[in-house]
Amino acid sequence: MSDAYLIFFFIRALFTSVCIGIVIQFCLVLRGVGVSFAARAGLCLIAILLALAFFFSRVIEGNSFWLKAMSFLGTFWSALMFHVIVAWILTGIFCLLNWWFRWFVITAENRARWRYRCCMGIIGTALFMCVAGWINAQFPTVREEKIYAPEEVAPLRIVALSDLHLGRLASVDYLARIVDKIEPLSSDIVFFVGDILEYDFDHSEADALAAILQRLKPRLGLWGVMGNHEYIGEPESNKQSLNRMGIHMLIDQWAELDANEGLGNGGKILLIGRNDRHAGRLPVQEAIKDAPEDALKIMLDHQPYKLEESEEAGVFLQLSGHTHNGQFFPLNFVVAKFFEHSYGYSRRGQTHYWVTAGVGSWGARIRTSGRPEIVLIDLVAQEQASSR
């Protein structure tokens, strides 16, 4: 078992322990306001079943309605408990401030009632955040950017999307909605920047997904790279399914494209696809050692680590994902501390970077730290360029 999975297991065990503590505390609060033992026992049983739903949805294989329902309930419960913890911490800070400033007078007689009110407020706030986050996750936005590029390759319209996490909770209908958003953008090329498939992806759906992606028909094709989630399950099967879906996968490989194919003679693009860092990969310079030098370099790299390597290799544009911009508030601030650049546009020297928050979600189909997004980048000649 790798260090990354040991860390994940430890975090999951810690999270579960905290959730158990919160449920016990909540039951004690209910006892303090006279709620019956039977009602409290029933709430504990529901909490246990929902916690087990998350676990069993991870270990049972299949794609039945009941497994999908179990996955939804289990992941929603985990998201709800995370937001309960956040609300609980904020309420604790408020209580400490109230103890100092005496905004509200709490006596021995009304203490149980105040605890009950705080618990109801915490649960209500967390439930509202999760429902709003679920609605938010269903409606991705389009983030637009214009970047000046050499006239030989401009104009070129790029659509990039990352972290779809296609699987038990997001598959054919979900991808169809994403394609509905991309189709009117009239893209020249579409990039899938890793974590396209989840560990529970049903490979029998690859042909149906391919039929949906065929609606896009960008003149330079669909291209993608592997993310860390493609390596959780069966990497080779995932790669084969992605190829069946019509996505040309680049794994520490490059491809030379004619930027104006079908439009006349034009400049060349060197498209570089890096393998996921957790799977082991070649240095950038080694991955492109036989590539032509005069082409404009665009690189797909799922995880935005060691950005200086792209700059040193003369990459013009790097597209990454992976961070989800935290997915849950306030994890966006935590993620920003772990990555040199965790979200949006940035530039180092002559290299442009875009780290997308992703169009899908991991685990619960809930986003409370920002909108899911499709990235639209227009490479334009200098006289057409705006701010970049």
Side-chain angles (χ1 to χ4, degrees):
M1 185 179 291
S2 68
D3 291 343
Y5 290 110
L6 285 173
I7 293 171
F8 176 78
F9 177 81
F10 172 77
I11 293 173
R12 187 70 210 179
L14 179 62
F15 176 77
T16 302
S17 300
V18 173
C19 290
I20 292 170
I22 288 175
V23 171
I24 293 172
Q25 180 65 29
F26 181 60
C27 287
L28 291 175
V29 169
L30 293 179
R31 186 180 69 174
V33 293
V35 176
S36 68
F37 174 80
R40 287 183 279 122
L43 287 172
C44 283
L45 179 60
I46 291 172
I48 292 170
L49 290 175
L50 288 172
L52 289 175
F54 178 87
F55 172 76
F56 284 115
S57 69
R58 294 286 174 179
V59 298
I60 299 175
E61 296 183 359
N63 207 29
S64 68
F65 169 81
W66 294 109
L67 275 175
K68 289 182 179 181
M70 187 186 297
S71 295
F72 177 82
L73 290 173
T75 55
F76 190 92
W77 168 254
S78 295
L80 178 65
M81 292 307 296
F82 172 83
H83 287 87
V84 163
I85 291 170
V86 172
W88 200 289
I89 293 171
L90 294 176
T91 301
I93 294 171
F94 174 81
C95 290
L96 286 174
L97 293 174
N98 184 67
W99 176 80
W100 182 264
F101 292 105
R102 302 290 181 180
W103 296 316
F104 301 98
V105 178
I106 299 175
T107 64
E109 291 75 19
N110 66 10
R111 182 172 288 112
R113 183 58 58 183
W114 272 105
R115 285 178 176 171
Y116 176 75
R117 289 171 180 169
C118 286
C119 280
M120 291 300 103
I122 288 168
I123 293 171
T125 299
L127 186 60
F128 172 80
M129 289 288 288
C130 286
V131 171
W134 179 82
I135 295 172
N136 177 48
Q138 312 309 308
F139 300 98
T141 188
V142 177
R143 303 286 187 201
E144 299 184 30
E145 187 71 45
K146 289 186 178 180
I147 299 176
Y148 164 72
E151 294 182 0
E152 291 79 8
V153 300
L156 186 73
R157 173 159 280 202
I158 296 169
V159 165
L161 54 160
S162 177
D163 300 277
L164 283 85
H165 294 281
L166 297 174
R168 190 179 289 159
L169 293 179
S171 191
V172 178
D173 293 340
Y174 169 75
L175 184 63
R177 295 201 305 272
I178 299 299
V179 169
D180 287 342
K181 296 281 291 186
I182 298 174
E183 205 169 4
L185 301 179
S186 302
S187 57
D188 295 310
I189 191 167
V190 177
F191 296 137
F192 294 82
V193 197
D195 280 5
I196 309 163
L197 305 181
E198 192 50 87
Y199 79 99
D200 54 9
F201 175 73
D202 183 352
H203 294 280
S204 67
E205 295 183 337
D207 292 333
L209 295 171
I212 294 170
L213 290 177
Q214 284 174 5
R215 290 163 42 193
L216 295 178
K217 296 183 175 62
R219 60 186 179 84
L220 297 181
L222 311 176
W223 299 83
V225 292
M226 303 276 274
N228 55 303
H229 277 251
E230 273 84 15
Y231 284 97
I232 292 176
E234 302 174 350
E236 193 57 37
S237 296
N238 289 333
K239 181 183 176 183
Q240 291 174 7
S241 288
L242 290 167
N243 283 323
R244 282 169 58 195
M245 290 162 59
I247 303 172
H248 304 289
M249 301 299 293
L250 295 175
I251 303 176
D252 279 342
Q253 296 169 305
W254 56 268
E256 188 179 24
L257 306 177
D258 183 346
N260 292 302
E261 182 179 345
L263 304 178
N265 294 328
K268 299 294 184 179
I269 291 175
L270 183 69
L271 180 59
I272 308 161
R274 300 203 72 190
N275 199 12
D276 186 72
R277 64 185 292 268
H278 286 152
R281 60 186 184 182
L282 299 174
V284 180
Q285 296 285 13
E286 187 174 344
I288 62 173
K289 62 181 180 180
D290 298 323
E293 294 289 337
D294 57 346
L296 186 84
K297 297 183 180 71
I298 296 177
M299 189 165 79
L300 311 181
D301 188 355
H302 177 63
Q303 301 191 42
Y305 281 98
K306 297 185 177 180
L307 301 183
E308 70 278 0
E309 291 185 0
S310 300
E311 184 182 7
E312 293 167 0
V315 171
F316 176 78
L317 172 65
Q318 175 177 323
L319 296 165
S320 298
H322 183 65
T323 69
H324 289 226
N325 194 25
Q327 187 166 326
F328 297 156
F329 174 86
L331 292 182
N332 47 314
F333 298 108
V334 176
V335 165
K337 296 296 182 181
F338 280 88
F339 293 89
E340 177 185 350
H341 179 63
S342 63
Y343 174 64
Y345 172 86
S346 67
R347 181 173 178 175
R348 295 177 54 145
Q350 299 302 310
T351 304
H352 303 264
Y353 301 86
W354 186 282
V355 180
T356 173
V359 71
S361 307
W362 175 76
R365 314 306 292 184
I366 292 171
R367 280 181 173 264
T368 56
S369 66
R371 296 285 301 278
E373 65 184 24
I374 297 162
V375 177
L376 174 64
I377 297 178
D378 279 309
L379 300 187
V380 297
Q382 187 166 14
E383 61 272 14
Q384 300 171 293
S386 56
S387 59
R388 303 297 188 198

